[in-house]
Amino acid sequence: MLPLPQRVVEYIRAHSLLRAGEGVAVAVSGGADSVALLRILLELRNELGIVISVAHFHHGIRGADADADEAFVAGLASAHDLKLHLDRGEARVRAGKSNISLETAARQLRQGFFAQILQEHKANCVATAHTLDDQAETVLMKALRGAGSRGLSGIFPEHRCVAGRIVRPLLEVRREQLREYLRAQKQEWREDASNLDLSFARNRVRTRALPMLRDEVNPSVEHALAHVAEIARAEEQYWNDQITRLLPLVIVPGEPARGGGRKQTRSEGIAIDIQKLYQQPLAVQRRLLRAAAEKLGCGMEFEQVQAVLHLIAQRAERGAQNKIVELGAGWRVRLLFRELRFEVAEQKESSTGYALPLHIPGEVRVAALGTTIRARISEDNGKAKNASYNPHSVRLPEIAELVVRNWRAGDRFRPARHNSEKRVKELLYPLHLSEEEKRLWPVVAAGDRIVWVRSIDSPELRTETGERLSIEESAE
Amino acid sequence: MLPLPQRVVEYIRAHSLLRAGEGVAVAVSGGADSVALLRILLELRNELGIVISVAHFHHGIRGADADADEAFVAGLASAHDLKLHLDRGEARVRAGKSNISLETAARQLRQGFFAQILQEHKANCVATAHTLDDQAETVLMKALRGAGSRGLSGIFPEHRCVAGRIVRPLLEVRREQLREYLRAQKQEWREDASNLDLSFARNRVRTRALPMLRDEVNPSVEHALAHVAEIARAEEQYWNDQITRLLPLVIVPGEPARGGGRKQTRSEGIAIDIQKLYQQPLAVQRRLLRAAAEKLGCGMEFEQVQAVLHLIAQRAERGAQNKIVELGAGWRVRLLFRELRFEVAEQKESSTGYALPLHIPGEVRVAALGTTIRARISEDNGKAKNASYNPHSVRLPEIAELVVRNWRAGDRFRPARHNSEKRVKELLYPLHLSEEEKRLWPVVAAGDRIVWVRSIDSPELRTETGERLSIEESAE
């Protein structure tokens, strides 16, 4: 087996990641992976003819630990006489403002920092230390959420952005091999410096799912998942070329005019010729629909693609009522006689959501559902007070106000007897709801926290004073 | 949500699985899934206009239980006045003769039975009770072994064979929904009647991997994996059409003749024009290579496809030595000046394997490796005799003769601290061996059982009399 740096140089050459004369900013968090990337590229810099600098971003979280990471990376750059790019941000503030997770906020800030390095011509590309293990985690998460070849492509060796490239030279190296390399080099690293990147889901895939699958199904499961990514990436490249060529051929310009002919369209949106779409194989139809939606800046999930194809398939049937599929992000698809129109959703369509205060105890009638939702102090209250402590029960803060509302994308909920929160979207999936039912499905929220979802077993709820709270829905 | 039979009829129509007037033999093991399939199709037979019969195969294993399954299914057919196709086979005998697993033998026998029903015109198609859960298990197993879109397509709704079709009308129904349906109908079933189908790997995916992934990552993981299959199936259909069209365009007839020109080829095999292959996108190149291999009746794994592409990429390099990739099944690919030739592997190429007896205690020199492998009674024997019972230790039967040999496809081994056997192929993967190293990698076998693999931690070995046995390799 080749020494590690030699394997990395082969990977860099096979994917034309770096060219002689380029400035490469190595993103170093201080964790093992990125420190190893720096040391390996230092070994290779003469062979590759590159000029190395170090980039480190301080996310404004993890206090003294993050300061120590920064100092460690600065020391590393200085020891090797490398130029250092440093910047700071406030991930927690950004997360709060944009209502996104801390990891997402941290990633966005870091990516902005990389983009700035490239825009200011401080480097031709930024090198990040994603490993084969990161790739396997990504592919597994995508598969477990139902991806096609785009999702299964996982992390790309190279990502081109406006001002330059992000490259990942370690994408075929195992995390453990990097640690062995560092130990052999007697190079220290900062444990946990990079764990900020871990989303809740990735963390569980890394620490629970993959070790179990390795033991139970395939000892080289990470390599297998990396193969899935490699195969899917080539196919995705192929599809991108095909769809870029085909999409203009099925798009109809303008809008049908009353009395025949077409008028130039005032509105935003895209129309697709149904007959031309239908001449394509199913796989191409699906990709054309997704590409049309992406042109408008809204994605399409698999169920939405299927719903649109179902609209077309049943268009000949008499009495087919539904001619619209909602896409979210303010867009929808409407079936016309000869075309599918991607158009801005009318306001009234999206205003049927609801959010109603629910007192404890109390009840509220939800007109959109035709039902009443009640919060009441449970009758077995006396018994429950003496019951042993239940670690899974949810205690509401005194100030909590309950709100009955329709669920929203991004809502998460921990059902009874589950150890972790799930996306409400995924909890609803097995219920096989119609689009309309799904859109209006009720939840009860206490502040940011969902404490009840219709038809899903709720954890035990207790008020601040320890009383047991029941939430019930009835049709009267 | 629609009642279950109505959902099944929609699925049957959407995929044109059954046509009015057809005879449908429902494969009924007696387990819940297949009994539910029968009852649902009985509800639908007027609506679909089909004639139903029942097919049951007795595999000659599970003794009285299997007899009772057969009697149960016969009773079910009689109660509904349905024609019954019964047959028996001896799965254990077949497994022994062909050196295949019992599940594989059972499946082959059953498929032969279905083919016979179709050939003898007893039915136009056979309906089997594969569910969405079976689909999810299949897709997950494929992903965890590194599949492309063919593997990820999982179970197809329809499989066409020479004499008719196998159809799977329940592929979008959950196993649990079938049980609910049966309970509502007060219809009994035979528990475990179908578990014969479970391979070791599928059983672990079903009972361990999926429940864990459902809990840790995605509560609707089965639906997500079924989406992966649905997307992949449409793409696979597209690719089949493309590759069927493209393959003849890159194949070169005949062989290059000495002195220029081409002569008609005597030998079997296929040649591919390198330049024409290289004009195609990478995804198409990969699929063309696999299609060429399949034309010859030998598969190509991802690593072999990559190795052939690597041969081509380095053909311009001076001193590139290796011009051959072994495919197995007696075939190999050889790089010529302008073409890739798929040809019969020469005998001498495949005869470098070895199998040498190893006495206890004793040693044997393996010329192919240049090393000596020793079996010795361990020095800590006295202590080990008093040591507490180790449930993971392997005790060799008295008659066991050890054999040192190169590993073979299909070999399985349980490393130390693992609860189950792994494929040796997959254990070797993380070692990043060259093709040559991998081919000759040594194992020690006691009868059918692999007890030692170079570089892999072995479980504790004991002789029949309880002495501790060590196996060691040295280069002197």
Side-chain angles (χ1 to χ4, degrees):
Chain A
M1 193 171 150
L2 287 174
L4 189 52
Q6 229 32 56
R7 285 175 54 211
V8 173
V9 97
E10 286 206 353
Y11 185 80
I12 289 171
R13 292 211 169 115
H15 293 82
S16 310
L17 293 186
L18 301 174
R19 288 176 272 283
E22 283 192 325
V24 180
V26 183
V28 183
S29 67
D33 300 351
S34 61
V35 172
L37 174 61
L38 178 63
R39 290 294 305 256
I40 290 169
L41 289 179
L42 281 170
E43 279 198 48
L44 298 173
R45 66 176 154 180
N46 290 334
E47 189 171 351
L48 292 169
I50 54 174
V51 180
I52 294 178
S53 57
V54 172
H56 178 82
F57 191 77
H58 188 304
H59 298 85
I61 32 183
R62 295 177 50 251
D65 275 345
D67 296 343
D69 291 345
E70 189 186 69
F72 172 81
V73 173
L76 204 53
S78 152
H80 292 277
D81 215 4
L82 299 173
K83 195 161 175 202
L84 179 65
H85 318 287
L86 283 181
D87 200 3
R88 290 191 177 221
E90 292 296 336
R92 212 175 293 283
V93 174
R94 186 189 180 95
K97 266 190 197 157
S98 311
N99 196 22
I100 52 180
S101 71
L102 192 59
E103 317 88 62
T104 305
R107 194 181 64 240
Q108 289 178 353
L109 286 171
R110 205 164 52 240
Q111 285 172 344
F113 170 57
F114 296 159
Q116 202 182 351
I117 288 174
L118 295 172
Q119 274 154 17
E120 294 174 358
H121 304 293
K122 292 176 179 161
N124 300 93
C125 63
V126 173
T128 64
H130 292 91
T131 62
L132 187 143
D133 297 76
D134 295 310
Q135 179 72 296
E137 290 160 10
T138 303
V139 174
L140 184 57
M141 286 195 291
K142 294 288 184 179
L144 297 178
R145 298 207 181 283
S149 64
R150 181 179 317 180
L152 297 176
S153 300
I155 305 167
F156 279 53
E158 178 177 76
H159 171 74
R160 285 164 195 269
C161 43
V162 181
R165 290 133 44 222
I166 312 281
V167 298
R168 287 98 181 202
L170 302 184
L171 217 41
E172 285 189 353
V173 180
R174 295 298 304 267
R175 219 173 264 146
E176 189 46 39
Q177 293 171 327
L178 295 175
R179 283 164 192 258
E180 277 167 26
Y181 168 82
L182 289 176
R183 283 190 284 263
Q185 303 279 322
K186 304 205 189 313
Q187 168 67 57
E188 295 185 343
W189 67 85
R190 300 267 309 160
E191 209 63 66
D192 295 330
S194 62
N195 280 352
L196 184 66
D197 300 359
L198 289 186
S199 70
F200 194 58
R202 182 177 293 269
N203 202 9
R204 279 174 301 162
V205 163
R206 178 177 299 182
T207 59
R208 309 245 318 141
L210 278 172
M212 190 272 233
L213 295 170
R214 201 156 48 221
D215 206 46
E216 293 285 332
V217 186
N218 181 357
S220 51
V221 63
E222 288 87 355
H223 284 95
L225 290 167
H227 284 178
V228 170
E230 174 62 27
I231 295 170
R233 188 169 58 83
E235 304 211 333
E236 189 56 23
Q237 181 58 51
Y238 171 88
W239 282 113
N240 279 345
D241 296 346
Q242 290 288 312
I243 297 302
T244 304
R245 186 175 63 74
L246 287 172
L247 186 60
L249 304 180
V250 299
I251 286 184
V252 197
E255 284 183 285
R258 205 161 290 180
R262 301 190 70 78
K263 60 181 180 189
Q264 215 180 338
T265 185
R266 287 164 312 140
S267 58
E268 309 163 87
I270 286 181
I272 285 184
D273 184 300
I274 290 176
Q275 207 191 332
K276 287 180 184 162
L277 180 72
Y278 235 46
Q279 286 165 355
Q280 300 293 334
L282 176 59
V284 177
Q285 292 176 27
R286 287 180 176 157
R287 286 185 178 264
L288 285 170
L289 290 175
R290 288 187 59 182
E294 274 155 23
K295 238 178 130 75
L296 301 172
C298 74
M300 255 177 120
E301 304 216 3
F302 179 73
E303 294 93 331
Q304 293 168 327
V305 171
Q306 292 295 87
V308 170
L309 291 176
H310 190 68
L311 274 194
I312 301 176
Q314 65 167 24
R315 74 190 187 285
E317 282 175 34
R318 207 181 292 230
Q321 292 291 323
N322 188 12
K323 305 268 188 194
I324 286 175
V325 172
E326 299 292 336
L327 299 186
W331 291 94
R332 66 183 193 182
V333 176
R334 192 152 55 93
L335 179 72
L336 301 180
F337 182 55
R338 287 205 179 81
E339 65 192 47
L340 274 180
R341 179 152 282 281
F342 287 70
E343 61 187 17
V344 175
E346 284 166 40
Q347 280 311 306
K348 62 179 176 189
E349 286 294 328
S350 55
S351 65
T352 45
Y354 53 92
L356 307 161
L358 174 62
H359 298 288
I360 307 175
E363 64 176 52
V364 60
R365 171 137 184 100
V366 186
L369 303 174
T371 64
T372 296
I373 291 180
R374 254 180 220 91
R376 64 187 183 83
I377 303 300
S378 227
E379 282 153 24
D380 68 347
N381 195 28
K383 207 188 291 170
K385 261 190 180 165
N386 299 327
S388 60
Y389 171 68
N390 175 350
H392 287 299
S393 83
V394 174
R395 187 165 292 220
L396 304 175
E398 199 172 4
I399 49 145
E401 288 179 12
L402 297 184
V403 172
V404 175
R405 61 169 173 82
N406 56 317
W407 75 284
R408 298 168 190 159
D411 278 350
R412 299 179 74 92
F413 177 60
R414 180 166 65 78
R417 294 176 302 282
H418 279 68
N419 292 320
S420 57
E421 290 193 323
K422 315 291 177 195
R423 292 203 240 173
V424 170
K425 179 187 157 190
E426 286 167 353
L427 290 167
L428 297 187
Y429 197 81
L431 304 180
H432 293 278
L433 306 173
S434 72
E435 281 306 306
E436 183 66 12
E437 283 176 309
K438 186 160 41 172
R439 199 162 52 82
L440 296 176
W441 204 255
V443 303
V444 174
D448 285 348
R449 182 170 196 168
I450 307 292
V451 297
W452 178 89
V453 178
R454 178 202 270 172
S455 299
I456 308 288
D457 277 2
S458 292
E460 189 182 87
L461 292 176
R462 293 194 177 271
T463 63
E464 170 68 4
T465 52
E467 291 166 309
R468 182 147 162 199
L469 181 72
S470 293
I471 293 177
E472 292 155 5
E473 183 179 16
S474 59
E476 78 263 26
Chain B
M1 192 172 152
L2 287 174
L4 188 53
Q6 230 33 56
R7 285 176 53 212
V8 173
V9 97
E10 286 206 352
Y11 185 80
I12 289 171
R13 291 210 169 115
H15 293 81
S16 310
L17 293 186
L18 301 174
R19 288 176 272 283
E22 283 192 325
V24 180
V26 183
V28 183
S29 67
D33 300 351
S34 61
V35 171
L37 174 62
L38 178 63
R39 290 294 305 256
I40 290 169
L41 289 179
L42 281 170
E43 279 199 48
L44 298 173
R45 67 176 154 180
N46 290 334
E47 189 171 351
L48 292 169
I50 54 174
V51 180
I52 294 178
S53 57
V54 172
H56 178 82
F57 191 77
H58 187 304
H59 298 84
I61 31 183
R62 295 176 51 251
D65 276 345
D67 296 343
D69 291 345
E70 188 186 70
F72 172 81
V73 173
L76 203 54
S78 152
H80 292 277
D81 216 4
L82 299 173
K83 194 160 175 203
L84 178 65
H85 318 287
L86 282 181
D87 200 3
R88 290 191 177 220
E90 293 296 335
R92 212 175 293 283
V93 174
R94 186 189 180 95
K97 266 190 198 158
S98 311
N99 197 21
I100 52 180
S101 71
L102 192 59
E103 317 89 60
T104 305
R107 194 181 64 240
Q108 288 178 353
L109 285 170
R110 206 164 53 241
Q111 285 172 344
F113 170 56
F114 296 159
Q116 201 182 353
I117 288 174
L118 296 171
Q119 274 154 16
E120 294 174 358
H121 303 294
K122 291 176 178 162
N124 300 94
C125 63
V126 173
T128 65
H130 292 91
T131 62
L132 188 143
D133 298 76
D134 295 310
Q135 180 72 296
E137 291 160 9
T138 303
V139 174
L140 183 58
M141 286 195 291
K142 294 287 185 180
L144 297 178
R145 299 209 180 281
S149 64
R150 182 179 316 180
L152 297 176
S153 301
I155 305 167
F156 278 53
E158 178 176 76
H159 171 73
R160 285 163 195 269
C161 42
V162 181
R165 291 134 42 224
I166 312 280
V167 297
R168 286 98 181 201
L170 301 184
L171 218 41
E172 285 189 353
V173 180
R174 296 297 304 266
R175 219 173 264 147
E176 189 47 39
Q177 293 171 327
L178 295 175
R179 283 164 192 258
E180 278 166 26
Y181 168 82
L182 289 176
R183 283 190 284 263
Q185 303 279 323
K186 303 204 190 314
Q187 168 67 57
E188 294 185 343
W189 67 85
R190 299 268 309 161
E191 209 64 66
D192 295 329
S194 61
N195 281 352
L196 184 65
D197 300 359
L198 289 186
S199 70
F200 194 58
R202 181 177 293 268
N203 201 10
R204 278 174 302 163
V205 163
R206 178 178 298 182
T207 59
R208 308 246 318 142
L210 278 172
M212 190 272 231
L213 295 171
R214 201 156 49 222
D215 205 46
E216 292 285 332
V217 186
N218 182 356
S220 50
V221 63
E222 288 87 355
H223 284 96
L225 290 168
H227 284 178
V228 171
E230 174 61 27
I231 296 170
R233 189 169 59 83
E235 304 211 332
E236 190 55 24
Q237 182 58 51
Y238 170 87
W239 282 113
N240 279 345
D241 296 347
Q242 290 289 312
I243 297 302
T244 304
R245 186 175 63 74
L246 287 172
L247 186 59
L249 304 180
V250 299
I251 286 184
V252 197
E255 285 182 284
R258 204 161 289 180
R262 299 191 71 78
K263 61 181 179 188
Q264 215 180 338
T265 185
R266 287 164 312 142
S267 58
E268 309 163 87
I270 285 180
I272 285 185
D273 184 302
I274 290 176
Q275 206 192 333
K276 287 180 184 162
L277 179 72
Y278 235 46
Q279 286 165 355
Q280 300 293 334
L282 176 60
V284 177
Q285 292 176 27
R286 286 180 175 156
R287 285 185 178 264
L288 285 170
L289 290 176
R290 288 187 59 182
E294 274 156 23
K295 239 177 129 75
L296 301 172
C298 74
M300 255 178 120
E301 304 216 2
F302 179 72
E303 293 93 331
Q304 293 168 327
V305 171
Q306 292 295 86
V308 170
L309 292 176
H310 189 68
L311 274 194
I312 301 176
Q314 65 166 25
R315 74 190 187 286
E317 282 174 35
R318 208 181 292 230
Q321 291 291 323
N322 187 13
K323 305 267 188 193
I324 287 176
V325 173
E326 299 292 335
L327 299 186
W331 290 94
R332 66 183 193 182
V333 176
R334 191 152 55 94
L335 179 73
L336 301 179
F337 182 55
R338 288 205 179 81
E339 65 193 47
L340 274 179
R341 180 153 282 280
F342 288 70
E343 61 186 16
V344 175
E346 284 166 39
Q347 280 311 306
K348 62 179 175 189
E349 286 295 327
S350 55
S351 66
T352 45
Y354 54 92
L356 307 160
L358 174 63
H359 298 288
I360 307 175
E363 64 176 52
V364 60
R365 170 137 185 100
V366 186
L369 303 174
T371 63
T372 296
I373 292 179
R374 253 180 222 90
R376 64 187 183 83
I377 303 301
S378 227
E379 281 153 24
D380 68 346
N381 195 28
K383 207 189 290 170
K385 262 190 178 163
N386 299 327
S388 61
Y389 171 68
N390 175 350
H392 286 300
S393 82
V394 174
R395 187 165 291 221
L396 304 176
E398 199 172 4
I399 50 145
E401 288 178 12
L402 297 184
V403 172
V404 176
R405 61 170 173 81
N406 55 316
W407 75 284
R408 298 169 190 158
D411 278 350
R412 299 179 73 92
F413 177 60
R414 180 166 66 78
R417 294 177 302 281
H418 279 68
N419 292 320
S420 57
E421 291 193 325
K422 315 291 177 195
R423 292 203 240 172
V424 170
K425 179 187 157 189
E426 286 167 352
L427 290 167
L428 298 187
Y429 197 81
L431 305 179
H432 293 279
L433 306 173
S434 72
E435 280 306 307
E436 183 66 11
E437 283 176 309
K438 186 159 42 172
R439 201 162 52 82
L440 295 176
W441 204 255
V443 303
V444 174
D448 285 348
R449 182 169 196 169
I450 307 291
V451 297
W452 179 89
V453 178
R454 178 202 270 172
S455 299
I456 309 288
D457 276 1
S458 292
E460 189 181 87
L461 292 176
R462 292 194 178 272
T463 63
E464 170 69 3
T465 52
E467 291 166 310
R468 182 147 160 200
L469 181 72
S470 294
I471 293 176
E472 292 155 4
E473 183 180 16
S474 59
E476 78 264 25

